[in-house]
Amino acid sequence: MRKKRNKVIFYILLTLLALIWMAPVVTVFITALKSQGDFYSGNSLFSLPDQLKWSNFADAWTKGRLGTYMRNGLVICFLKVPLGILVESLAAFAITRLDIKHKTGIFVFFLLGMMLPHQMALIPLNRAFSRYNLINNYLGLFVVYTGFGIGYGILVLRGFMRSIPKDLDEAAYIDGCGKLRLYFNIILPITKPAIATVFIVDFLNTWNEFLLQSILITSDSLRTVPNGLMSFIGEYGTDYGLLNAGVLISIVPVLAVYLTFQRYFVEGMSGAVKQ
């Protein structure tokens, strides 16, 4: 009886937490259906407008150029994220499977990058990239994003690879498998859950990154969603319906990536903390 009561309380708490989490999403959705006049009518924030303005979504896509911003964001994410995972997995493989000196020191060196605030690098990056014509250039953005994201990726992948038995390495070497084949044919397939976890987190961080991009990308045609949405805010007023419609549309790619890899997410995170 006590166990059943605890289970009921647990699900009630989960329901309350879900409602709290959904409240901002519902608010954004309702706001996306309002016209400019609805914001000055004195109605409640959660009240539905008299006439639902579904055209906000189409206007955000066309007039707000959200389609261009999302295309740019997808290009950056689907080039940068796999490249970053390749570099991070190779580094984690070297630290955990190869006989190299100062493994712990190398790992700590990579982790130092996670401790560096992005704000500290803005001025040096701007000056260096201006000198080498990397402003308004995706190549410069790839380098910066990979550099700042490499610490987290190595942290997760190293933890997962450490849980893989070394007996697999010995058996592979006996069968004539070299180090590269060990990496590509054995270790990498086993590490799929951790790779999926890194992919989700890195995709989300890259998709939503605002600060570095606002300094390195100034051309409107090259902007991605976070900076592009800022153009919805006018000098003399903001169309909040249009802005919130754009926010909802921009969630779709991130949601699709999460739903694709979410079955690996928990397994990847639990394997990453095994000792």
Side-chain angles (χ1 to χ4, degrees), residues 63-78:
K63 296 179 182 179
R65 303 188 64 191
L66 188 60
T68 300
Y69 300 141
M70 290 184 68
R71 181 197 64 197
N72 295 339
L74 289 173
V75 168
I76 291 176
C77 287
F78 283 113

Side-chain angles (χ1 to χ4, degrees), residues 217-232:
I217 302 294
T218 58
S219 173
D220 186 64
S221 61
L222 296 177
R223 288 176 177 170
T224 60
V225 173
N227 290 91
L229 287 175
M230 294 297 295
S231 64
F232 287 26

Side-chain angles (χ1 to χ4, degrees), residues 92-146:
F93 175 79
I95 293 173
T96 57
R97 322 305 292 190
L98 301 184
D99 186 18
I100 58 177
K101 296 181 179 179
H102 312 298
K103 293 183 179 181
T104 303
I106 295 173
F107 176 60
V108 171
F109 174 77
F110 283 124
L111 290 186
L112 290 176
M114 297 176 62
M115 305 176 190
L116 177 67
H118 293 181
Q119 293 84 346
M120 292 180 59
L122 291 181
I123 295 177
L125 283 174
N126 191 26
R127 295 188 62 180
F129 281 31
S130 297
R131 179 179 301 176
Y132 295 106
N133 296 320
L134 290 176
I135 301 294
N136 289 324
N137 190 321
Y138 284 159
L139 176 61
L141 211 57
F142 292 149
V143 172
V144 174
Y145 282 173
T146 303

Side-chain angles (χ1 to χ4, degrees), residues 205-259:
N205 291 338
T206 304
W207 182 263
N208 290 331
E209 202 284 319
F210 173 81
L211 182 61
L212 293 172
Q213 186 187 137
S214 63
I215 299 298
L216 303 178
I217 302 294
T218 58
S219 173
D220 186 64
S221 61
L222 296 177
R223 288 176 177 170
T224 60
V225 173
N227 290 91
L229 287 175
M230 294 297 295
S231 64
F232 287 26
I233 302 175
E235 183 178 357
Y236 301 104
T238 301
D239 190 336
Y240 291 102
L242 200 67
L243 179 61
N244 282 269
V247 170
L248 287 175
I249 295 174
S250 69
I251 293 173
V252 174
V254 178
L255 187 62
V257 167
Y258 177 77
L259 292 177

Side-chain angles (χ1 to χ4, degrees), residues 1 88 112 133 168-169 185 196 233 264:
M1 185 67 183
E88 293 152 8
L112 290 176
N133 296 320
L168 288 175
D169 300 21
N185 295 349
I233 302 175
Y264 297 110

